[in-house]
Amino acid sequence: MYKAGWILGLLLTGALVAGAATTMNETNSFAYSANTGWINLQGDITNGMIIGEYVCSGYMYGANIGWINLGSGLPTNGIQYGNGSADDFGVNVEGEGLLRGYAYGANIGWIAFETNGDPRVDIRTGNLDGYAYGANIGWINLSNLYAYTQTDQINPGADTDGDGIADAWELSRAADLNFFTHTSEHDGDGYTDYDEYLAGTEPLDAGSYLAIVDSSRTDPDLDVSWAATNTRMYVVEQADDVEGSGGWTDVGGGLIGPTTNTEISATISDATNETSIIRVRAQRPLIP
Ligand SMILES: [Ca+2]
Ligand SMILES: [Ca+2]
Ligand SMILES: [Ca+2]
């Protein structure tokens, strides 16, 4: 059983990005299935699970069930797996870290990542939670009383045209990779497409951009509100001038979010910098 799984693993791994190692944490990498025992999400490290911003890839491994393929990392449309055919399957990463789609083990068949089990990754901590389900093996628990699984990084995905923007993000909003560039600005809201990519806002919607919508100070508190998205965290930063020539520093609120609300209102204790310039910076989740 082990051998058959391993051969499949080697064959399919040939389609993966060469040398892509698992993103999973060395210690917190064991899921549990009551029927088949522990399942190692790190695999053998070289072929272990990779969690990306759009898709998962790599393999999970169970001593009793062999390798479980999470997808090639190369979805047919360049964005996410269609899961409508055997050559375009895998587990997608959606919204605030929902894991949805199908994995496959040669010895155990399809494993569903769907809404009932609600498997997901917390994009702030990297911790996985929820369940995947296989008709032949039952539930796979991604965290339990004794162990949990965690990713150290979230892989931004391929950038084949080298413009600093992940191809999946480009192709989900344009017909090809030429439309967006590192300096282009399509919707005229004053933020380049690259900046909107980093901020998690929409580059073809002039009403979507990262901006402070309200702020006030009642010493020692600073109240700040800004437009938010569920795929980003935020840091409220201060500087002595608008160019930030002396550098930007955290006002003191730390990492804020993510939230499913469209706006964040934060109250930050700040007694010392009454004349400083304030900005909100978007932080992408666990990007290496
Ligand atoms: Ca690109
Ligand atoms: Ca723009
Ligand atoms: Ca925009």
Side-chain angles (χ1 to χ4, degrees):
M1 203 181 256
Y2 172 85
K3 204 165 185 180
W6 175 236
I7 291 168
L8 174 81
L10 286 178
L11 288 173
L12 293 178
T13 304
L16 291 176
V17 178
T22 181
T23 61
M24 299 305 296
N25 183 269
E26 185 175 353
T27 303
N28 304 314
S29 56
F30 286 88
Y32 188 76
S33 158
N35 295 322
T36 67
W38 295 101
I39 296 174
N40 183 355
L41 273 54
Q42 262 210 329
D44 62 356
I45 299 177
T46 306
N47 298 297
M49 182 176 191
I50 296 171
I51 295 185
E53 275 195 286
Y54 286 82
V55 296
C56 295
S57 57
Y59 296 81
M60 307 190 288
Y61 181 78
N64 297 319
I65 55 178
W67 294 95
I68 300 171
N69 187 351
L70 294 153
S72 67
L74 301 168
T76 301
N77 66 5
I79 307 166
Q80 291 189 312
Y81 306 114
N83 283 309
S85 67
D87 59 3
D88 187 28
F89 75 87
V91 177
N92 294 318
V93 182
E94 299 173 357
E96 66 270 33
L98 306 180
L99 303 176
R100 297 290 186 268
Y102 288 91
Y104 185 77
N107 299 318
I108 55 172
W110 295 104
I111 305 291
F113 288 67
E114 40 70 68
T115 52
N116 284 338
D118 195 22
R120 59 199 176 278
V121 56
D122 182 325
I123 63 171
R124 183 176 171 119
T125 63
N127 292 357
L128 276 62
D129 202 358
Y131 300 81
Y133 184 79
N136 295 319
I137 61 168
W139 295 102
I140 297 172
N141 192 345
L142 297 175
S143 73
N144 59 57
L145 283 174
Y146 307 103
Y148 65 99
T149 55
Q150 180 181 28
T151 188
D152 291 330
Q153 300 176 352
I154 291 179
N155 189 322
D159 174 22
T160 54
D161 61 346
D163 59 4
I165 306 175
D167 296 346
W169 188 93
E170 297 190 62
L171 294 172
S172 64
R173 294 166 174 82
D176 57 48
L177 296 177
N178 298 319
F179 186 75
F180 296 111
T181 70
H182 194 77
T183 55
S184 61
E185 212 283 74
H186 279 95
D187 60 6
D189 61 9
Y191 298 85
T192 65
D193 299 325
Y194 175 67
D195 283 341
E196 299 217 45
Y197 163 68
L198 296 180
T201 60
E202 284 306 321
L204 302 177
D205 177 355
S208 170
Y209 51 86
L210 174 59
I212 292 174
V213 294
D214 196 19
S215 67
S216 63
R217 186 186 293 279
T218 309
D219 286 335
D221 291 336
L222 173 69
D223 295 306
V224 190
S225 301
W226 63 92
T229 171
N230 61 353
T231 61
R232 292 294 182 274
M233 289 148 297
Y234 302 90
V235 182
V236 180
E237 296 179 326
Q238 62 187 7
D240 294 328
D241 56 54
V242 288
E243 290 81 24
S245 51
W248 293 93
T249 56
D250 183 344
V251 174
L255 205 55
I256 300 169
T259 176
T260 52
N261 298 333
T262 55
E263 190 174 306
I264 289 177
S265 296
T267 299
I268 300 166
S269 182
D270 168 41
T272 57
N273 287 282
E274 295 183 12
T275 58
S276 62
I277 307 296
I278 301 297
R279 77 173 184 183
V280 172
R281 178 174 58 80
Q283 173 83 40
R284 294 170 70 206
L286 300 173
I287 297 295

